[in-house]
Amino acid sequence: MHMEKYLILNTLSYPILSMILMVPLVGALISLLIKDEQRLKIFGLLVTLVTLVLSLPLFTCFDLHTAKYQFAELRAWFPLLKLNYVVGVDGISVLLVLLTTFIMPFCILCSWRYINKRLGAFIFVTLVMEAAMIGVFISLNTVLFYIFWEAMLIPMFLLIAIWGGARKDYASIKFFLYTLCGSVFLLVAIVALYIKTGTFFIPALMDQEYSFAYQMWIFLACALAFAIKIPMYPFHTWLPAAHVEAPTAGSVILASVLLKMGGYGFLRFCLPMAPAATIYCMPYLIALSLISIIFGGYLALGQTDIKKLIAYSSVGHMGFVTLGIFLLNDQGLKGAILQMINHGITTGGLFIMVGMIYERTHSREIADNSALGMVIPIYVTFLGIFCLSSLAFPGTNSFVGEFLVLLGAFKRSTLVGFLAIPGAILAAAYMLRLLQRMVWHDSDGHAHHHDENEADDHSHVLTDLSFRELSMVVVLTFFVFWIGLYPAPLLNIMDASVTHLLGQISVGGAVADPHAGHHALLELGSWIKQVMTF
Amino acid sequence: MDTIITSKILLASALPMLTALLVMFSGKKPNLREVWSLAGALLTFLSVLSLLPHILAGGSYEYTLATLYPGVNIKFHLDGLGIMFAGTASFLWILAGFYCIGYMRGLEEHAQTRFYVCYAVSVGAAMGAAFAGNLFTLYLFYEIVSIFTYPLVAHHQDGEGYAGARKYIVYLMFTSKAFLLPAMIIIYMQCGTLDFCYTGVVSGIFPEGANKTLVVVSYLLCLFGFAKAGIMPFHNWLPSAMVAPTPVSALLHAVVVVKVGVFSICRVMLSVFGVQMLQDLSLGMFTAYFVSFTIITASIIALSKSNLKARLAYSTISQLSYIILGVAMLTPNSITGGLVHIANHAFSKITLFFCAGAIFVACGKKDIKEMGGLGYRMPITMIAFGLASLSMIGVPGSAGFVTKWFLALGAMDIGSIGILVVLLASSLLNAGYFVPVFLTAFFGKVAPADKGLSGSLENKPLIMFMVVPLLITSIISIILGIYPDLFLSIIHVMIN
């Protein structure tokens, strides 16, 4: 085993990846000892902020010129199975780790008043969640990866089941079952890969050559797990339910980080380990992505519940991500990764905004939250910024991501490009509709402005953003424009890894000849083709 | 001449944005709010003016603000076409600033802070579009204009206002997302950059051997994507936008917004595709005939409208297509005629809208039929209206004549009788819908409700805030007909 050739061992003064993994975990344990509610919140915030600060060198000290896994740590763990504790980040995962550590303080902050029962448990669960999510992104070992992948389910399940809304039982169980179903297949793939190669080490698994038939099975098993997670049509139905019932912090975690694991899984498992199968399945996955984009947007257009609208918009946005991934070209992949980050910031921001208005009006219906423009102008301004960002307005972060994905799509085929455009139109339609109704007038069309009494009512009840709330949205807004106007730092970080990944695909895809594959597999392929054309 | 790289050219779009901020923070004080507006307008105009000498000498300015992706920058590049549009818009903003005071106070409109903020941002974004150095920057500011004019169109916040504003944003957003976005991507894919060609108008940015089909597709997408230009069939937003207060219709929907659309199309035709490419693919003549349809049809619809603002709106749709017609004929004369009409039409049409608003504030009339005898009670307004109408029709000695002269020269250069007929017919139609307004005002039957009323309506101080600006713009639209040299020389510098 020459694991070192894939790794650049950590040279910082502290084991950075293990630290950001352990700090939330230890914090979670300590939080159990704190009884006072105010102190609990402050402690939770401090832990997430410390984790964020500890993770910053990942950005500043990142070596842009290599696709190797950096800041790596390697320790023997279970020699009998050749199982090591090995963590590291490349240009793809480092951004997602940073997104996670960046978004977690917001999850605590936005729960400041929202969570008013079992606060201690909430802080504990949130911190465990953070550790598990970071673990998924830094693991370079399939067993570690799987442990964290599964570990994530329980805190998320609890977040929805304990602090959720009226239909929390339905939503939490649906979430749990869907993702669990997916991960069973992932486990099968991991075991199968171990039996075949005798290693759990992810970079080594990427370097193996597998027959086309074998690749196909691995690809399908993994892709199912990740397609459910991201979620891709037709596996998306758990998402709106989970989003609507989850507390604000749950929605933010779900939208900003959890969905990204599906995309990350595609990039880490499917593409490099099964390149020939990826190329073979590319048209179907592009088709499913396009359906997700248009279907998600179409459904978002009809929603009356703000959270549901944003949830369906996520399906559409994630469609752009999977589209970008399976275009298998430079712009597409970069756009997809950037879009994952953007979606984390923008949709996280939108969910935080919804949480704020829910705390004030106790309703998530658009109709109950209309004509706010004159009443709480600061809130509305930021809502407008996040909505515009979500519809990929030029100058905001999502535009860059969407532009790159579309560019990749047009490069792949003009038809694919044009088929993705309706998604962009729909995004503008549902976001502007939401904005129009929330800012300007009631859904029945009568102008709020003339209804003096009601407007007075509103202004007595509703207060504009507090300092805590303002600080959250200002920071997020800063990133909306920063990435929108100067995305180069992010694109540079992912550059080497994306190039490396494309190299893996073109080499592996050329070696494996689909026609030499197993007979049964070809049948499977034609079966998929039939289902898809049906 | 050389290109000067300076951040000074950011001022023209930054000043209106700054104005908007100042207005926002002085929301409770109407006087201060208006002072900021006027000062912002004046300074913006002066900042544009200070750039003029270098442009007239054949130079240009450039500044890159940010790079999103190789070839996709926020980049400003000022040349003749840009400064003509920016200068016209910022100059008219000063006059419109005074006019706004009269109109908004005269009608005691609500939400005036919001109004002034959005007004300033819209102008600032239009400045940005005028200064844009590449397609992305143009698109960015084009979209900002769409977003910030929405509150202005929906200003009255009643059923009609919302319906109009909804149509407005749906048309503009749909076309830009559906057509402009793919156009931009296809152009980037072919050229590897979105930067305009800065060396003349003959060659575009497309490399040799670009895929001809995709070039044609992206050209058509651009033509329809910039729906603010009001080319049929995507023109319907403009009449809907007339629910806005008249200062909005005047400055934004006769000058700033629609000219951003037309300007963008001209820019794309001349600096992205280039005359040579359009000629080779016969796209020029196609466009010329296509917009001729808009010219004639919009004029015919205008004839049928008795609401003054609606008639003006359709007249605008028709006149905007003159500009594109001129550029589409692809000869030096016709391009001159088209581009100079950006300024000529601005001065004349803003006058007409100013008049319509002044009439509405003074006596609440919107319909032409009710305006019998109004000429004697609002003589300055109606005479200004007459002068501006002359320019619209293209009577010799007025600004409109210069346009039509060059357009006709262009049509003869390419030997197209069809275009000449269109020009003639549309001039007759213009006369057909403008002259009756003037005639009604002075010689029409006085409406029964107005019998026995007399005395000037123009002597109140607030009305004066409106009458003086419209008098100035009407006089300028005549002066531009007698001394057209300034704008012509700017265009001359650009084309050669």
Side-chain angles (χ1 to χ4, degrees):
Chain A
M1 286 293 288
H2 302 288
M3 295 175 79
E4 283 79 7
K5 75 171 178 183
Y6 303 106
L7 306 175
I8 299 176
L9 291 177
N10 181 36
T11 52
L12 296 174
S13 56
Y14 59 100
I16 181 164
L17 293 177
S18 295
M19 282 287 273
I20 60 172
L21 183 65
M22 291 312 289
V23 166
L25 217 51
V26 173
L29 291 175
I30 296 174
S31 78
L32 294 176
L33 305 174
I34 305 174
K35 289 282 171 287
D36 181 58
E37 293 212 333
Q38 194 63 24
R39 281 186 192 164
L40 255 175
K41 285 189 272 195
I42 293 173
F43 176 76
L45 183 62
L46 275 179
V47 172
T48 52
L49 285 175
V50 167
T51 316
L52 172 61
V53 171
L54 284 176
S55 69
L56 288 179
L58 289 180
F59 183 73
T60 51
C61 304
F62 193 84
D63 183 355
L64 300 176
H65 308 292
T66 174
K68 289 184 182 177
Y69 297 86
Q70 311 185 20
F71 307 104
E73 292 164 43
L74 177 62
R75 284 190 192 90
W77 179 21
F78 204 153
L80 199 63
L81 286 173
K82 291 188 215 159
L83 191 57
N84 299 300
Y85 168 82
V86 54
V87 291
V89 286
D90 68 349
I92 298 167
S93 52
V94 69
L95 292 173
L96 293 165
V97 171
L98 286 166
L99 176 69
T100 311
T101 56
F102 170 74
I103 220 78
M104 288 313 288
F106 293 96
C107 295
I108 306 279
L109 272 173
C110 72
S111 310
W112 216 252
R113 280 169 54 203
Y114 194 98
I115 302 292
N116 40 30
K117 66 170 183 182
R118 308 182 67 175
L119 192 76
F122 175 78
I123 299 289
F124 177 79
V125 165
T126 312
L127 293 177
V128 170
M129 188 77 202
E130 175 167 21
M133 292 189 297
I134 293 173
V136 168
F137 292 131
I138 63 175
S139 300
L140 289 181
N141 172 315
T142 48
V143 173
L144 266 183
F145 178 89
Y146 190 74
I147 289 173
F148 287 122
W149 180 273
E150 289 293 300
M152 240 164 33
L153 280 187
I154 299 156
M156 193 63 221
F157 171 79
L158 291 176
L159 271 179
I160 303 174
I162 299 178
W163 296 278
R167 298 197 331 142
K168 58 190 178 189
D169 297 337
Y170 166 77
S172 55
I173 290 176
K174 193 169 182 180
F175 162 79
F176 197 80
L177 288 181
Y178 259 79
T179 21
L180 198 66
C181 278
S183 28
V184 170
F185 289 97
L186 184 61
L187 183 62
V188 171
I190 288 173
V191 173
L193 282 168
Y194 177 70
I195 293 170
K196 183 102 179 167
T197 63
T199 179
F200 293 111
F201 187 49
I202 293 177
L205 289 171
M206 294 175 183
D207 263 6
Q208 301 277 339
E209 274 177 31
Y210 311 101
S211 70
F212 178 73
Y214 190 78
Q215 283 193 26
M216 202 67 195
W217 288 112
I218 294 293
F219 180 87
L220 288 178
C222 293
L224 185 66
F226 302 136
I228 290 174
K229 198 82 180 178
I230 202 165
M232 189 186 231
Y233 175 89
F235 310 110
H236 65 281
T237 55
W238 64 270
L239 184 71
H243 264 318
V244 170
E245 301 307 329
T248 305
S251 294
V252 174
I253 294 176
L254 198 57
S256 298
V257 186
L258 238 57
L259 303 186
K260 310 304 167 337
M261 301 199 164
Y264 175 70
F266 280 125
L267 295 169
R268 187 62 88 226
F269 283 78
C270 295
L271 268 58
M273 291 184 198
T278 304
I279 293 173
Y280 183 79
C281 294
M282 180 174 81
Y284 310 117
L285 281 150
I286 288 180
L288 281 179
S289 306
L290 289 171
I291 294 173
S292 297
I293 292 173
I294 294 171
F295 196 62
Y298 178 71
L299 288 177
L301 200 53
Q303 300 305 321
T304 56
D305 182 308
I306 308 171
K307 259 193 160 177
K308 243 185 185 158
L309 188 150
I310 302 171
Y312 279 114
S313 86
S314 289
V315 176
H317 285 138
M318 287 301 113
F320 269 106
V321 171
T322 49
L323 175 66
I325 291 174
F326 286 100
L327 291 168
L328 303 182
N329 55 24
D330 182 67
Q331 290 86 357
L333 282 171
K334 281 184 183 161
I337 298 167
L338 195 61
Q339 200 63 342
M340 290 205 267
I341 309 296
N342 292 336
H343 180 263
I345 292 168
T346 301
T347 307
L350 278 172
F351 276 121
I352 289 173
M353 297 306 283
V354 178
M356 288 173 185
I357 200 70
Y358 184 74
E359 283 172 23
R360 287 165 169 78
T361 64
H362 304 289
S363 169
R364 285 186 306 256
E365 288 293 313
I366 298 175
D368 296 333
N369 293 311
S370 62
L372 300 172
M374 293 293 205
V375 189
I376 40 175
I378 302 176
Y379 173 87
V380 161
T381 308
F382 285 99
L383 180 73
I385 292 173
F386 290 123
C387 283
L388 288 182
S389 162
S390 184
L391 67 84
F393 195 80
T396 64
N397 53 354
S398 308
F399 178 82
V400 188
E402 194 178 288
F403 181 82
L404 287 176
V405 172
L406 286 173
L407 186 62
F410 273 97
K411 282 209 160 151
R412 176 60 62 200
S413 118
T414 315
L415 178 70
V416 171
F418 274 112
L419 286 176
I421 293 292
I425 302 171
L426 282 168
Y430 60 72
M431 276 301 158
L432 288 175
R433 170 178 166 270
L434 174 74
L435 202 53
Q436 199 266 340
R437 301 209 170 163
M438 283 186 73
V439 179
W440 292 90
H441 73 104
D442 292 327
S443 53
D444 58 17
H446 91 264
H448 217 139
H449 166 68
H450 297 297
D451 204 342
E452 294 296 336
N453 289 332
E454 211 174 328
D456 278 351
D457 277 347
H458 255 339
S459 49
H460 283 306
V461 177
L462 299 184
T463 48
D464 218 327
L465 299 185
S466 67
F467 177 73
R468 170 183 60 87
E469 294 168 324
L470 198 62
S471 60
M472 283 194 282
V473 290
V474 165
V475 173
L476 286 172
T477 306
F478 171 76
F479 279 90
V480 164
F481 289 117
W482 181 40
I483 301 178
L485 298 175
Y486 186 54
L490 302 188
L491 292 172
N492 290 343
I493 281 187
M494 65 179 85
D495 189 55
S497 294
V498 167
T499 312
H500 178 66
L501 180 58
L502 282 170
Q504 285 174 324
I505 295 168
S506 66
V507 171
V511 168
D513 177 12
H515 299 294
H518 200 270
H519 185 62
L521 245 296
L522 286 180
E523 253 173 41
L524 183 72
S526 64
W527 177 77
I528 300 172
K529 217 175 237 168
Q530 275 173 7
V531 172
M532 291 307 166
T533 47
F534 179 77
Chain B
M1 268 292 272
D2 50 334
T3 299
I4 299 178
I5 306 213
T6 167
S7 57
K8 217 173 83 177
I9 59 171
L10 301 181
L11 265 184
S13 46
L15 282 171
M17 306 287 180
L18 184 70
T19 307
L21 276 181
L22 291 171
V23 169
M24 197 153 73
F25 288 117
S26 47
K28 296 272 185 297
K29 303 179 188 106
N31 292 336
L32 190 60
R33 207 165 52 195
E34 283 151 8
V35 167
W36 288 133
S37 264
L38 292 172
L42 190 66
L43 287 175
T44 308
F45 176 64
L46 289 178
S47 79
V48 175
L49 207 60
S50 71
L51 302 171
L52 185 61
H54 183 63
I55 302 283
L56 273 179
S60 59
Y61 290 95
E62 192 168 295
Y63 191 73
T64 304
L65 192 63
T67 301
L68 277 77
Y69 196 68
V72 186
N73 311 309
I74 296 188
K75 182 175 182 178
F76 297 90
H77 183 96
L78 187 67
D79 61 2
L81 178 56
I83 204 164
M84 191 176 67
F85 174 42
T88 308
S90 56
F91 177 73
L92 288 174
W93 187 27
I94 306 174
L95 297 175
F98 284 104
Y99 185 85
C100 280
I101 299 174
Y103 187 90
M104 299 304 278
R105 290 195 175 203
L107 292 178
E108 292 173 4
E109 287 282 353
H110 76 122
Q112 289 195 26
T113 308
R114 181 182 79 204
F115 175 88
Y116 282 109
V117 168
C118 292
Y119 208 74
V121 174
S122 304
V123 176
M127 293 290 143
F131 283 56
N134 63 19
L135 197 52
F136 170 71
T137 314
L138 189 62
Y139 174 73
L140 168 69
F141 285 105
Y142 179 92
E143 293 284 59
I144 294 177
V145 172
S146 302
I147 292 291
F148 277 89
T149 43
Y150 176 90
L152 296 171
V153 178
H155 183 82
H156 291 304
Q157 291 182 251
D158 48 15
E160 202 191 358
Y162 284 132
R166 192 189 142 103
K167 199 167 183 180
Y168 180 78
I169 201 77
V170 166
Y171 265 81
L172 295 186
M173 269 295 176
F174 173 79
T175 48
S176 76
K177 282 271 177 191
F179 305 138
L180 217 46
L181 188 61
M184 209 158 64
I185 290 166
I186 293 174
I187 291 171
Y188 181 78
M189 215 168 69
Q190 299 269 309
C191 311
T193 180
L194 290 174
D195 284 358
F196 295 138
C197 169
Y198 305 127
T199 51
V201 296
V202 177
S203 58
I205 60 170
F206 283 89
E208 290 285 320
N211 183 331
K212 292 282 182 285
T213 320
L214 285 182
V215 173
V216 173
V217 168
S218 56
Y219 175 77
L220 293 177
L221 288 171
C222 283
L223 192 63
F224 295 117
F226 290 111
K228 288 198 177 85
I231 298 176
M232 288 181 177
F234 297 107
H235 66 287
N236 249 329
W237 60 271
L238 186 57
S240 308
M242 292 299 140
V243 295
T246 304
V248 176
S249 310
L251 183 63
L252 299 183
H253 296 124
V255 182
V256 171
V257 174
V258 291
K259 295 286 156 56
V260 166
V262 174
F263 172 84
S264 303
I265 291 183
C266 296
R267 181 59 103 191
V268 166
M269 286 171 87
L270 297 175
S271 304
V272 172
F273 292 91
V275 170
Q276 191 63 48
M277 172 87 83
L278 295 178
Q279 233 154 22
D280 290 349
L281 297 171
S282 324
L283 287 168
M285 274 331 278
F286 163 78
T287 312
Y289 282 110
F290 194 86
V291 296
S292 296
F293 174 78
T294 304
I295 294 177
I296 300 293
T297 315
S299 294
I300 292 171
I301 298 174
L303 274 177
S304 71
K305 298 285 170 190
S306 68
N307 180 309
L308 184 54
K309 273 177 82 176
R311 187 174 285 194
L312 293 177
Y314 277 101
S315 157
T316 303
I317 295 172
S318 164
Q319 296 275 337
L320 292 174
S321 283
Y322 274 132
I323 300 168
I324 298 168
L325 173 70
V327 176
M329 283 192 280
L330 301 174
T331 73
N333 278 328
S334 71
I335 295 176
T336 308
L339 296 184
V340 80
H341 202 51
I342 290 182
N344 288 348
H345 174 251
F347 283 98
S348 316
K349 189 49 70 62
I350 201 171
T351 311
L352 296 173
F353 271 111
F354 277 169
C355 294
I359 293 168
F360 181 66
V361 175
C363 57
K365 290 185 198 305
K366 291 178 178 172
D367 204 287
I368 296 161
K369 278 180 249 149
E370 296 168 359
M371 292 178 187
L374 200 64
Y376 300 104
R377 301 185 64 200
M378 302 185 76
I380 305 176
T381 307
M382 289 323 294
I383 286 170
F385 192 96
L387 290 177
S389 301
L390 293 180
S391 167
M392 285 283 117
I393 298 162
V395 174
S398 69
F401 175 74
V402 179
T403 305
K404 287 192 179 164
W405 172 257
F406 278 103
L407 287 183
L409 280 182
M412 285 189 283
D413 286 344
I414 57 169
S416 170
I417 304 293
I419 303 288
L420 272 179
V421 171
V422 168
L423 288 173
L424 270 176
S426 77
S427 295
L428 286 175
L429 285 165
N430 288 341
Y433 56 79
F434 279 126
V435 172
V437 182
F438 188 75
L439 288 181
T440 310
F442 282 100
F443 308 108
K445 237 198 290 175
V446 178
D450 291 348
K451 284 259 164 66
L453 291 176
S454 65
S456 170
L457 287 168
E458 289 173 336
N459 49 10
K460 289 188 214 128
L462 279 181
I463 304 287
M464 289 310 287
F465 268 107
M466 293 188 268
V467 173
V468 173
L470 66 87
L471 188 63
I472 295 175
T473 52
S474 72
I475 292 171
I476 293 176
S477 64
I478 295 301
I479 292 176
L480 284 178
I482 304 168
Y483 301 106
D485 275 2
L486 173 63
F487 289 126
L488 288 180
S489 54
I490 295 176
I491 294 166
H492 188 75
V493 166
M494 184 195 161
I495 294 180
N496 300 309

